[in-house]
């Protein structure tokens, strides 16, 4: 159990059977294929094709982008609502394959593309029309057709706008220069006046000068014919037509929405196929054969070999030990009860090659601490049942599944400690059910000491694992000096608190201190440096002290859950005086306890994790590994089902 | 009914225990929320992860409420039957409220900053969420210790 040894697979097969072999490996999902180019052993092989994109590769990429587009297009029109407890549909490979040739789905995807083009065309047109509308609107009071607004043989006509503040000056300056100029104010909108100016051609210079001086902006009337009123109603008519067309398109998409599951299958399956094509690049190829390299956990090697050998005889399969240069992934295999806790470690950092698997040791501590921090039988029951319900209904995968299982276990631990401490939805039942051990509110000191004891055990377990690792690596001295002496020192210091053990504990502690002083500087060269390092190492006692004090949070969070529950019950009881009060009482009881569960389950999870990460892992664990990520079938919308005939 | 000076002190203690950490948590959660909203604009799928981090600085407010409520219960302000409290006793109760009041206020603000920075981690590397949480929880340790001190003192008074 725990960390599984990884073997390296070297597979040589016929090129003609390559597709079938890759497909089989994909379905097995037990091999992490590595790129031959980055494999240290294969450096001498220079003739690696930097693979050209195959025709299939292109085909599947197009299919993925097309189906992705169609799905997001459909989502825009009618968002895809997946029921909270909805389970993904399962399909076999053949069912998925048939969907690739489904004519309806292909038609829908093309249709969606053209509808989207139509929508963006409508959008463009709408923008254009709205702009024109803005130009025309201010001229509405003018009762002249735009195409009639032209100069004559001897006159010029100007149509435009200027700042209101300049308008009077503008008139005055023109009137001074000439009396053959006609100016009419058509409209006033905000700070602008809209003006029509007509002048004799001989006065062109004067008018141009004035227009420039008073920043007259010429109206853009290109393409306008009728009177402003007619133009406006015309544009509005067109705009409403656009909206209508848009509505029609939406309706049309809604009629196709039933094909969405089909498109989702196509999307998933095209990704599966593309994934297979991509493995192509990682292979080394000669004219007739190919070579594949990968990592396989030793527990899967037989299965891989058997499956491939059954398919064909013309194949060479070899499993070798990994070397120092290989970037070996970590694969964990733990008992069913420990497995959910892997999530906690993986969130921190997966074990590296040198690390021990911390999960089997960590799991019981996490289990106990989580329960202690919540310690309410009612809450535990709600959490366990809730998590079980979600596990059954949603059938989550991967990390979500582990989290749910973790909550089932955490809830069971919470029930246990709730019974010990007499917590049932706060103090709701405290008049009827007495705590089996103690009530933390009456006797917090006992629980505080219990928390510290838990801390000691936890930290010693961490030191023990470090010592084990040291011994396994051949550093027996390090195990005795670095971990053994500290355990003895801490234990003897604790025993100093017990009067009976005091005389012996005193001498044991002194011996441990001397031992530490003498050994902690053993790496240093000069005696004086050795002594100095030895003495300063005693300063670590403060870090052990703060580690232990950190476990006080177990008591604090346990009290917090209990007291908040009590607050909720007290407030609810105060309301329960008449009928309306009873209604509010029930609302407050339900809402309050749900809130308390949520906030304190989060707190318990987070703080339990912290005790593992900082206090426990800090003693022995490096992390920084990479989880085994096999070449397997990954789907987003559907579940892949192994077909019956295989 | 006579209201003793001791009770006045005790009420002040309860009020401080609730209001100061409450302010701190509001600021902390608000700050983390701003950062979270920024991340979610880019990637709405990160709502759950950022919400987790945003909730962390909220606990100080709850610890404060808890302490305040315990004081109210011990002095009979809720649950009926006011306890007669001497001025000295009242001042001591006020004193028990101080650790969680002061540490709760400041640690919630500091934790809010750490949580906001943790949300920054989630923006770029969502798989490292746990590390962001640990950074924020390191701050909360001191609020937990202060709460513990407040509660133990309050129980120790023997009222």
């Amino acid at each position: 159990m725990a960390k599984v040894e990884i073997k390296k697979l070297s597979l040589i097969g016929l090129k003609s059977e390559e597709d079938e072999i890759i497909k089989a490996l994909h379905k097995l999902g037990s091999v992490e294929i590595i790129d031959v180019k980055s494999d240290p052993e294969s450096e001498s092989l220079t003739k690696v094709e930097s693979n050209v994109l195959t025709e299939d590769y292109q085909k599947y990429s197009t299919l993925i982008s097309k189906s992705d587009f169609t799905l997001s297009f459909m989502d825009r029109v009618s968002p895809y609502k997946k029921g909270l407890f909805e389970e993904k549909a399962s399909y076999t490979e053949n069912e998925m394959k048939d969907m690739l040739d489904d004519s309806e789905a292909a038609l829908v995807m093309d249709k969606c593309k053209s509808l989207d083009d139509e929508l963006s065309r409508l959008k463009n047109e709408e923008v254009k029309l709205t702009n024109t509308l803005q130009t025309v609107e201010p001229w509405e009071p003018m009762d002249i057709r735009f195409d009639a607004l032209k100069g004559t043989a001897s006159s010029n006509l100007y149509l435009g706008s200027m700042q209101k503040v300049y308008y009077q000056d503008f008139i005055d300056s023109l009137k001074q220069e000439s009396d053959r100029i006609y100016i009419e104010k058509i409209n006033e909108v905000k700070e602008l006046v809209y003006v029509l100016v007509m002048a004799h051609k001989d006065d062109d210079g004067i008018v141009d000068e004035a227009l420039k001086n008073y920043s007259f902006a010429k109206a853009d009337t290109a393409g306008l014919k009728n009177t402003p009123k007619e133009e406006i109603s015309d544009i509005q008519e067109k705009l409403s037509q656009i909206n209508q067309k848009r509505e029609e398109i939406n309706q049309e998409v809604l009629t196709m929405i039933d094909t969405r599951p089909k498109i989702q299958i196509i999307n998933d399956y095209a990704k599966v196929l593309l994934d297979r094509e991509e493995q192509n690049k990682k292979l080394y190829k000669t004219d007739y054969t190919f070579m594949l390299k990968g990592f396989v956990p030793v527990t899967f090697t037989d299965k891989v070999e058997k499956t491939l050998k059954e398919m064909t005889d013309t194949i060479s399969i070899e499993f070798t030990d990994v070397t120092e240069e290989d970037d070996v992934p970590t694969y964990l295999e733990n008992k069913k009860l420990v497995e959910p806790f892997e999530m906690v470690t993986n969130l921190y950092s997966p074990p590296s090659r040198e690390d021990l698997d911390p999960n089997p040791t960590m799991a019981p501590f996490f289990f106990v601490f989580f329960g202690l921090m919540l310690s309410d039988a009612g809450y535990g029951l709600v959490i366990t049942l809730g998590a079980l319900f979600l596990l059954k209904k949603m059938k989550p995968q991967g990390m979500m599944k582990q989290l749910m299982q973790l909550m089932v276990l955490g809830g069971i631990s919470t029930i246990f400690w709730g019974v010990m401490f007499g917590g049932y939805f706060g103090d709701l039942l405290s008049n009827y059910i007495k705590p089996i051990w103690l009530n933390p509110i009456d006797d917090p000191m006992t629980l505080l000491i219990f928390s510290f004891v838990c801390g000691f055990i936890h930290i010693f377990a961490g030191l023990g694992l470090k010592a084990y690792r040291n011994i396994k690596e051949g550093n027996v001295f390090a195990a005795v000096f670095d971990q053994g002496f500290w355990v003895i020192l801490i234990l003897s210091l604790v025993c100093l608190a017990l009067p009976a053990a005091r005389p012996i504990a005193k001498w044991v502690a002194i011996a441990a201190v001397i031992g530490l002083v003498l050994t902690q500087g053993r790496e240093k060269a000069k005696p004086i440096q050795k002594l100095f390092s030895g003495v300063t190492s005693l300063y670590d006692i403060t870090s052990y002290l703060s580690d232990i004090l950190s476990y006080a949070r177990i008591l604090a969070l346990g009290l917090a859950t209990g007291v908040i529950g009590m607050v909720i019950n007290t407030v609810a009881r105060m309301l329960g005086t008449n009928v309306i009060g009873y209604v509010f009482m029930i609302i407050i009881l339900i809402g309050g306890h749900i809130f308390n569960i949520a906030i304190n389950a989060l707190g318990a999870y987070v703080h339990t994790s912290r005790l593992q990460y900082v206090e426990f892992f800090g003693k022995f664990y490096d992390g920084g590994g990479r989880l085994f990520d096999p070449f397997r079938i990954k789907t987003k919308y559907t579940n892949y089902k192994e077909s019956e005939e295989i | 009914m006579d209201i003793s000076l001791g009770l006045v002190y005790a009420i002040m203690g309860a009020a401080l225990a609730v209001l100061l950490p409450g302010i701190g948590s509001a600021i902390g959660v608000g700050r983390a929320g701003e950062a979270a909203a920024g991340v979610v604009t880019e990637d709405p799928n990160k709502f759950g992860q950022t919400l987790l981090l945003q909730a962390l600085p909220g606990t100080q407010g709850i610890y404060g409420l808890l302490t305040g409520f315990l004081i109210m219960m011990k002095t009979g302000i809720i649950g009926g039957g006011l306890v007669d409290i001497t001025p000295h006793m009242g001042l001591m109760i006020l004193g028990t409220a101080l650790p969680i009041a002061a540490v709760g206020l400041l640690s919630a603000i500091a934790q809010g900053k750490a949580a906001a920075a943790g949300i920054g981690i989630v923006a770029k590397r969502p798989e490292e969420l746990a590390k962001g949480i640990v950074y924020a929880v390191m701050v909360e340790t001191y609020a937990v210790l202060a709460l513990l001190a407040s509660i133990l003192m309050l129980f120790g008074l023997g009222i």
Side-chain angles (χ1 to χ4, degrees):
Chain A
M1 287 298 175
K3 259 170 71 177
V4 176
E5 192 196 346
I6 302 280
K7 290 279 185 186
K8 197 161 169 186
L9 163 73
S10 300
L11 186 155
I12 296 174
L14 286 178
K15 227 173 170 178
S16 54
E17 290 167 348
E18 183 198 318
D19 286 347
E20 281 305 303
I21 289 168
I22 293 275
K23 188 172 157 189
L25 289 177
H26 204 190
K27 285 184 175 174
L28 268 179
S30 314
V31 181
E32 183 178 315
I33 299 179
I34 46 177
D35 196 336
V36 179
K37 288 191 271 310
S38 64
D39 179 43
E41 278 175 18
S42 314
E43 264 172 89
S44 52
L45 304 172
T46 45
K47 217 189 106 189
V48 174
E49 293 173 40
S50 57
N51 210 274
V52 280
L53 295 180
T54 58
E55 213 172 284
D56 283 344
Y57 189 93
Q58 302 279 25
K59 189 176 127 197
Y60 301 140
S61 323
T62 333
L63 206 53
I64 289 172
S65 63
K66 252 167 96 178
S67 53
D68 270 339
F69 167 80
T70 310
L71 288 173
S72 75
F73 180 70
M74 285 178 163
D75 274 355
R76 251 184 293 155
V77 179
S78 143
Y80 177 53
K81 286 190 209 78
K82 187 169 159 288
L84 185 57
F85 305 124
E86 196 176 297
E87 198 191 327
K88 289 179 190 171
S90 299
Y91 300 96
T92 63
E93 171 135 15
N94 283 336
E95 285 171 318
M96 289 189 169
K97 201 176 191 168
D98 291 344
M99 208 48 79
L100 286 190
D101 304 321
D102 190 270
S103 57
E104 190 195 358
L107 211 68
V108 166
M109 286 197 281
D110 289 340
K111 189 77 193 164
C112 281
K113 181 84 191 87
S114 68
L115 286 179
D116 184 61
D117 289 347
E118 177 70 9
L119 277 179
S120 47
R121 198 186 59 77
L122 289 176
K123 180 86 203 160
N124 277 339
E125 201 174 319
E126 187 184 30
V127 169
K128 233 192 268 168
L129 285 172
T130 325
N131 283 341
T132 321
L133 189 65
Q134 274 166 357
T135 337
V136 181
E137 252 172 350
W139 301 102
E140 203 188 342
M142 183 173 73
D143 201 14
I144 313 169
R145 291 171 59 87
F146 278 109
D147 55 4
L149 284 171
K150 275 186 237 148
T152 59
S154 53
S155 73
N156 274 337
L157 190 134
Y158 306 89
L159 211 56
S161 58
M162 64 167 63
Q163 294 286 324
K164 203 193 285 178
V165 283
Y166 300 149
Y167 183 57
Q168 200 51 50
D169 293 350
F170 171 70
I171 297 177
D172 293 348
S173 74
L174 280 181
K175 291 274 165 187
Q176 257 175 18
E177 300 284 342
S178 164
D179 54 358
R180 291 180 297 184
I181 298 173
Y182 172 75
I183 304 173
E184 189 184 333
K185 182 163 86 178
I186 307 285
N187 200 357
E188 237 184 83
V189 180
K190 285 180 192 157
E191 296 304 305
L192 294 177
V193 284
Y194 292 83
V195 202
L196 183 149
V197 181
M198 221 170 153
H200 195 273
K201 276 200 169 151
D202 293 348
D203 294 333
D204 235 12
I206 310 165
V207 177
D208 278 346
E209 183 70 21
L211 292 181
K212 219 161 88 191
N213 284 347
Y214 294 97
S215 24
F216 177 89
K218 267 192 144 182
D220 176 22
T221 56
L224 296 171
K225 277 193 200 125
N226 301 325
T227 62
K229 268 209 182 78
E230 284 162 354
E231 287 287 349
I232 289 170
S233 72
D234 191 37
I235 291 171
Q236 274 161 351
E237 170 70 13
K238 278 181 186 158
L239 281 176
S240 76
Q241 274 172 8
I242 287 178
N243 275 332
Q244 202 185 332
K245 266 188 203 153
R246 222 181 249 155
E247 192 46 44
E248 280 165 18
I249 291 176
N250 276 355
Q251 289 304 327
E252 197 172 349
V253 176
L254 285 179
T255 60
M256 300 188 296
I257 218 88
D258 291 341
T259 50
R260 179 147 54 188
K262 283 187 180 177
I263 314 270
Q264 287 174 337
I265 296 171
I266 291 177
N267 186 267
D268 269 351
Y269 191 56
K271 278 178 185 159
V272 167
L273 292 174
L274 187 75
D275 211 10
R276 281 178 198 163
E277 287 300 316
E278 268 174 355
Q279 304 311 315
N280 236 320
K281 296 183 206 159
K282 300 183 180 170
L283 308 180
Y284 174 79
K285 288 179 188 169
T286 63
D287 289 341
Y288 295 107
T289 61
F290 73 94
M291 180 173 76
L292 177 151
K293 294 248 176 184
F295 292 120
V296 190
V298 76
T299 40
F300 295 149
T301 48
D302 287 347
K303 193 175 76 180
V304 171
E305 189 161 2
K306 191 167 154 268
T307 315
L308 293 178
K309 282 271 160 73
E310 268 170 20
M311 283 174 58
T312 171
D313 295 329
T314 49
I315 191 169
S316 143
I317 300 167
E318 196 186 2
F319 294 104
T320 51
D321 288 337
V322 289
T323 60
E324 276 301 311
E325 292 98 65
D326 284 324
D327 174 28
V328 184
T330 308
Y331 180 71
L332 301 173
E333 216 171 68
N334 278 306
K335 292 204 177 71
K336 250 192 136 70
L337 276 177
V338 175
E339 208 193 293
F341 296 92
E342 285 176 6
M343 182 203 126
V344 179
T345 306
N346 292 343
L347 275 177
Y348 178 80
S349 185
S352 71
R353 241 173 129 167
E354 290 79 25
D355 274 315
L356 301 162
D357 178 9
N359 294 305
T361 325
M362 188 265 284
F365 288 106
F366 194 103
F367 178 76
V368 171
F369 292 169
F370 185 89
L372 273 170
M373 286 182 189
L374 269 175
S375 62
D376 188 298
Y379 293 176
L381 198 65
V382 171
I383 291 174
T384 305
L385 292 181
L388 278 176
F389 176 76
L390 289 180
L391 269 176
K392 198 159 172 53
K393 274 286 169 189
M394 279 168 70
K395 299 228 165 54
Q397 295 293 320
M399 198 173 255
M400 200 58 195
K401 183 176 168 193
Q402 289 188 331
L403 180 67
M404 292 297 157
Q405 291 172 334
L406 196 66
M407 286 301 116
V408 173
L409 292 173
I412 292 171
S413 171
T414 307
I415 296 174
F416 172 77
W417 290 109
V419 172
M420 295 300 278
F421 298 143
Y424 301 89
F425 294 106
D427 59 350
L428 205 58
L429 304 180
S430 63
N431 287 339
Y432 315 105
I433 308 176
K434 292 284 161 238
I436 290 181
W437 183 20
L438 56 83
N439 184 351
I441 293 178
D442 298 336
D443 190 4
M445 284 316 290
T446 309
L447 194 53
L448 183 64
I449 290 166
F450 180 70
S451 303
F452 288 152
V453 170
C454 287
F456 278 117
I457 298 171
H458 199 206
I459 285 174
F460 286 162
L463 286 173
L465 284 177
K466 178 71 186 177
Y468 175 73
R469 193 174 148 183
N470 271 333
I471 292 168
K472 226 177 92 183
E473 286 168 7
N475 300 324
V476 181
F477 285 129
V480 176
F481 299 155
D482 297 347
Q483 283 90 46
F485 283 171
W486 270 116
V487 172
I488 294 170
L489 178 59
I490 295 169
L491 276 178
S492 58
L493 287 178
V494 174
C495 289
L496 281 179
L498 308 169
R502 200 167 287 162
I504 311 165
K506 192 168 79 183
W507 292 110
V508 175
I510 290 171
V513 166
I514 293 171
L516 282 171
V517 170
L518 289 179
T519 57
Q520 289 305 294
R522 62 184 187 280
E523 315 264 285
K524 298 282 189 269
K526 293 188 185 134
I528 191 80
Q529 284 177 329
K530 281 181 197 282
L531 188 67
F532 184 72
S533 297
V535 173
T536 48
S537 77
L538 290 177
Y539 188 69
D540 284 351
I541 192 80
T542 55
S543 81
Y544 284 104
L545 185 69
S546 68
D547 280 353
I548 295 295
L549 284 180
S550 184
Y551 289 82
R553 75 186 68 231
I554 295 180
L555 165 66
L557 288 161
L559 279 178
T561 318
V563 175
I564 296 169
M566 212 158 77
V567 174
I568 295 162
N569 293 338
T570 312
V571 172
R573 263 186 221 120
M574 285 194 303
L575 287 169
T577 47
N578 53 40
V579 181
I580 303 170
Y582 280 121
V583 174
F584 277 103
M585 183 177 93
I586 288 168
I587 293 173
I588 285 186
L589 277 179
I590 293 174
H593 284 297
I594 288 176
F595 167 78
N596 198 18
I597 291 176
I599 200 83
N600 277 299
L602 172 67
Y605 171 73
V606 160
H607 282 275
T608 310
S609 298
R610 179 227 138 103
L611 288 178
Q612 312 298 336
Y613 295 160
V614 181
E615 274 76 19
F616 185 57
F617 283 178
K619 299 286 173 291
F620 69 98
Y621 187 69
D622 298 330
R626 182 172 69 84
L627 283 182
F628 177 63
D629 179 22
F631 172 51
R632 64 191 166 86
I633 290 175
K634 295 170 191 158
T635 51
K636 185 175 171 191
Y637 303 104
T638 56
N639 279 336
Y640 179 81
K641 190 166 67 180
E642 200 57 60
S643 50
E644 284 76 23
E645 71 248 54
I646 296 176
Chain B
M1 186 188 65
D2 284 336
I3 298 221
S4 66
L5 184 58
L7 200 58
V8 175
Y9 288 137
I11 286 229
M12 279 163 58
L16 282 180
V18 177
L19 79 87
L20 289 179
I23 293 172
S25 279
I27 296 174
V29 172
R31 186 164 291 180
E34 288 170 24
V39 173
V40 170
T41 347
E42 290 282 316
D43 183 359
N45 291 333
K46 288 182 178 145
F47 177 70
Q49 289 178 313
T50 51
L51 188 69
L52 194 67
L53 275 163
Q54 197 203 352
L56 294 181
T59 34
Q60 279 86 342
I62 296 169
Y63 297 158
L65 175 72
L66 191 159
T67 314
F69 189 81
L70 276 177
I71 295 177
M72 288 185 254
M73 275 207 325
K74 294 261 176 196
T75 52
I77 293 166
I78 36 178
L82 285 183
V83 183
D84 188 31
I85 291 171
T86 63
H88 278 100
M89 185 57 103
L91 275 176
M92 282 205 282
I93 293 175
L94 176 58
T96 64
L98 293 183
I100 190 56
V103 179
L105 168 68
L106 297 174
S107 73
I109 297 171
Q111 199 181 359
K113 290 183 197 168
I119 287 166
I121 299 182
V122 173
K124 293 210 175 113
R125 313 189 60 171
E127 70 280 5
E128 304 293 2
L129 169 70
K131 281 158 201 165
I133 292 179
V134 171
Y135 288 138
V137 173
M138 294 301 277
V139 183
E140 184 160 322
T141 303
Y142 303 99
V144 173
L145 295 181
L147 169 69
L148 198 66
S150 286
I151 290 183
L152 289 181
M153 284 197 282
L154 197 56
F155 285 135
L157 286 180
I159 33 169

